[in-house]
Amino acid sequence: MNTPALPTAVAKGGYYALVILALTQAMSLLDRQILAILAPAIKKDLGVGDAEMGLLYGTVFALFYALFSLPVGRLADGWVRTKLLAISILFWSAATGLAGLTTSFALLALSRLGVGIGEAATSPAGTSLIYDYWPRQRRGFVMAVMASAIALGLGGSLILGGLAAHGWDVAYPGAKLKGWQFAFLVAAAPGFVLAIFLWFLREPERGVMDGIATPPDPRPFTASLEMLGAVTPGFHWIVMRARAASAAMVGRNLLAIGLITAAMIGLTMLSTAISPRPPLVLAGASINPHALQWSVIGLGLVVIVNLVQGISLSDPQASRVIRGSPTLMMCMAVGMLQSIINYGMMAFNPTFIIRTYHLSMQETALKFGLLSAGMGIIGPLAWGPLSDWLQKRYPGTGRAGVAMLAMGLSPLMSFWVYTAPDADQFLWRFLPYSFVLTGWMPPLYAIMYDQVLPRMRGLTSSLYLLVMTILGLGIGPYVVGLLSDATGDLRFAMLSINAAAIPIMVLMVLIGRRAVRDEAALLVNAAG
């Protein structure tokens, strides 16, 4: 690749676009994560346990977020990304507002489903868009800003949710509308304003920053619908037949579905034995919550299988590029494993603080929310440029080394943090822990997206989100909730999830050794 000939300056409007897209990312995380601070109040009003909240926080959201990230990711590779993001934020803001009107677990699950569908475009369209504003050598910084925006959304969700819920309950103690419902309504409002700014944001020319001409897609919506049909269980067989899939491919698909079904039945039985839970009533039917959890994960795994096979049929070039980069596949595995840890911890951090140190929702929101937001912003802005600098001095290993340090040290530090004797000690210890923890995302994402052509970044982001969301967000919070219900020890449950750091370290060593070699083979793999 002729790197010296590539643009080195930020495109016109690049800084403004970065601010708008960072705010979009922050709003996405705020509306997604606000459930964490409101969980104790929701549990009390709806009469559910930690496992059900983990299911609601992760699994229900995860399937639809992951499933719809695929067609919108494909749409982001061919349509106007600014318009797509504007429409998406309107949809998920409306779904967040619906949670403020719900009085049952089923309706709250429906709201989370809608938020998942709406937010599915955020990362594929946002990443694709910002990479066409910023040159390659500045993308560590770009991903650091986006990671800081995630932290702003996470911290903001705690502050906004906790203060809004507490303030409403104090002002209107006997009101029919509960504080946690009011908090959802407040969280929904800013998205409607931000959508206007997104709608009028300039759409940059695709591929210029990478020196790879990318012609307009003549049929982006048709391709997006085909993608949805190709991955949706049941409909995918129709698409496979239309694309003349071989009998061997169909056979492999059926075998995968059979193995996934058997595994999910086994996990349902194991989970029920570990922590029996009362049935959930959804649409008038009583459902074992463990069966619901693993059915959703099973469907997600089938979607992953369908996607991989569908790409090989519909976009052989993208399939060659993805399969030809072990670094790309290992980055996705690392992101998934780290998400199991992160989401498992994040889902229960407010509950842990309230339950262990007896802080009120308001105190938790202010103290922990401000701390999380502040360190989450500072950390990536330090780690991202550092990873860019190290990458120049040590190609391949520079960024990988930063990610490895963050993901290897933070699990060890968590045992020091979560065994703190009081709330003040916990918060002080959380400062360096959260700073270290923020270091993994900017370098890992920069490595991953440099492994594909510009036109494939939306698809790559969707594939990564599918794996990370189904197996990270979908499993992490649920497993922590399951262990908490089974043992009565939330601290033990949260710390246990750090076992995922062991395979992460092995994979990061391999990524550091292969990243440059696999990136150099990109155009060769694309040409076939």
Side-chain angles (χ1 to χ4, degrees):
M1 298 180 70
N2 190 19
T3 303
L6 298 179
T8 58
V10 179
K12 181 181 179 181
Y15 285 93
Y16 173 73
L18 183 58
V19 170
I20 296 298
L21 292 170
L23 288 174
T24 303
Q25 187 76 270
M27 281 303 307
S28 171
L29 269 292
L30 189 151
D31 288 350
R32 184 190 313 177
Q33 298 292 136
I34 195 171
L35 187 69
I37 188 65
L38 303 177
I42 294 173
K43 284 177 58 180
K44 180 180 178 181
D45 283 348
L46 300 185
V48 295
D50 284 338
E52 286 84 354
M53 289 308 300
L55 191 155
L56 193 64
Y57 178 96
T59 315
V60 173
F61 173 90
L63 176 64
F64 290 90
Y65 177 77
L67 177 61
F68 279 86
S69 72
L70 300 172
V72 298
R74 180 61 183 84
L75 191 58
D77 282 337
W79 194 52
V80 184
R81 293 160 289 186
T82 54
K83 303 295 189 287
L84 176 60
L85 285 167
I87 294 169
S88 297
I89 197 170
L90 284 173
F91 188 91
W92 93 58
S93 296
T96 301
L98 174 64
L101 306 176
T102 184
T103 57
S104 69
F105 183 90
L107 286 178
L108 194 54
L110 180 64
S111 166
R112 295 288 291 174
L113 182 155
V115 173
I117 293 173
E119 291 188 7
T122 308
S123 186
T127 301
S128 175
L129 184 63
I130 202 62
Y131 267 41
D132 284 326
Y133 272 106
W134 286 75
R136 292 171 65 91
Q137 68 271 21
R138 301 291 302 279
R139 288 173 183 169
F141 168 74
V142 168
M143 298 316 294
V145 172
M146 299 303 282
S148 296
I150 290 174
L152 179 63
L154 291 172
S157 69
L158 299 177
I159 297 168
L160 178 66
L163 294 184
H166 176 80
W168 181 270
D169 285 335
V170 170
Y172 306 100
K176 185 177 180 180
L177 185 72
K178 303 295 184 182
W180 62 268
Q181 295 172 306
F182 175 70
F184 278 117
L185 295 174
V186 173
F192 295 100
V193 178
L194 186 56
I196 298 173
F197 288 90
L198 283 165
W199 187 265
F200 292 104
L201 182 65
R202 182 180 72 86
E203 177 79 9
E205 186 176 351
R206 200 184 301 262
V208 170
M209 286 296 176
D210 294 272
I212 301 175
T214 306
D217 190 332
R219 48 193 289 276
F221 287 93
T222 300
S224 178
L225 289 173
E226 288 177 352
M227 172 69 76
L228 181 61
V231 299
T232 302
F235 292 98
H236 74 284
W237 286 315
I238 300 174
V239 177
M240 289 180 75
R241 181 176 180 180
R243 292 176 175 174
S246 67
M249 179 177 285
V250 174
R252 289 193 296 270
N253 185 268
L254 292 172
L255 176 62
I257 291 174
L259 293 174
I260 290 169
T261 301
M264 295 308 105
I265 291 173
L267 287 170
T268 298
M269 296 172 64
L270 177 62
S271 301
T272 302
I274 292 173
S275 179
R277 299 297 305 165
L280 295 172
V281 178
L282 299 175
S286 294
I287 301 175
N288 179 343
H290 299 305
L292 177 60
Q293 157 71 19
W294 295 115
S295 294
V296 170
I297 296 299
L299 283 172
L301 289 171
V302 172
V303 169
I304 293 172
V305 172
N306 293 344
L307 174 62
V308 172
Q309 291 188 317
I311 292 173
S312 68
L313 290 170
S314 65
D315 195 341
Q317 185 187 53
S319 181
R320 288 195 305 271
V321 168
I322 292 171
R323 287 185 290 105
S325 174
T327 294
L328 174 61
M329 291 184 280
M330 288 189 292
C331 282
M332 291 186 180
V334 167
M336 177 270 292
L337 290 167
Q338 187 63 36
S339 295
I340 289 177
I341 298 173
N342 288 4
Y343 283 118
M345 304 290 273
M346 286 190 301
F348 291 96
N349 271 330
T351 300
F352 174 80
I353 295 170
I354 293 170
R355 187 181 298 179
T356 304
Y357 301 117
H358 310 293
L359 267 62
S360 67
M361 181 186 293
Q362 183 184 29
E363 289 176 308
T364 302
L366 281 173
K367 294 180 179 180
F368 187 67
L370 288 172
L371 174 61
S372 299
M375 294 308 298
I377 292 171
I378 294 170
L381 292 177
W383 291 110
L386 175 63
S387 70
D388 285 343
W389 181 77
L390 287 173
Q391 183 69 9
K392 291 179 182 178
R393 293 180 63 88
Y394 308 102
T397 58
R399 284 174 175 159
V402 171
M404 185 186 302
L405 174 66
M407 291 187 282
L409 184 57
S410 56
L412 299 176
M413 294 178 69
S414 69
F415 287 85
W416 172 60
V417 176
Y418 287 86
T419 55
D422 55 55
D424 288 340
Q425 283 292 314
F426 174 86
L427 295 172
W428 278 113
R429 295 180 185 187
F430 198 86
L431 276 170
Y433 167 69
S434 60
F435 177 79
V436 171
L437 184 60
T438 58
W440 73 275
M441 187 180 293
L444 185 74
Y445 280 29
I447 293 170
M448 182 168 64
Y449 290 122
D450 280 345
Q451 295 290 322
V452 298
L453 297 176
R455 76 163 188 87
M456 301 172 187
R457 287 189 181 125
L459 177 62
T460 302
S461 180
S462 295
L463 178 58
Y464 168 71
L465 281 175
L466 181 62
V467 174
M468 182 270 289
T469 306
I470 289 295
L471 299 178
L473 177 57
I475 291 179
Y478 169 79
V479 169
V480 171
L482 173 72
L483 293 175
S484 176
D485 285 339
T487 64
D489 188 342
L490 181 57
R491 176 187 285 115
F492 167 79
M494 294 176 74
L495 292 176
S496 296
I497 210 74
N498 285 289
I502 298 172
I504 286 175
M505 289 298 96
V506 175
L507 290 170
M508 285 309 306
V509 170
L510 296 175
I511 288 171
R513 294 170 63 89
R514 289 203 58 112
V516 171
R517 187 196 329 169
D518 290 341
E519 185 180 344
L522 171 58
L523 293 181
V524 175
N525 291 332

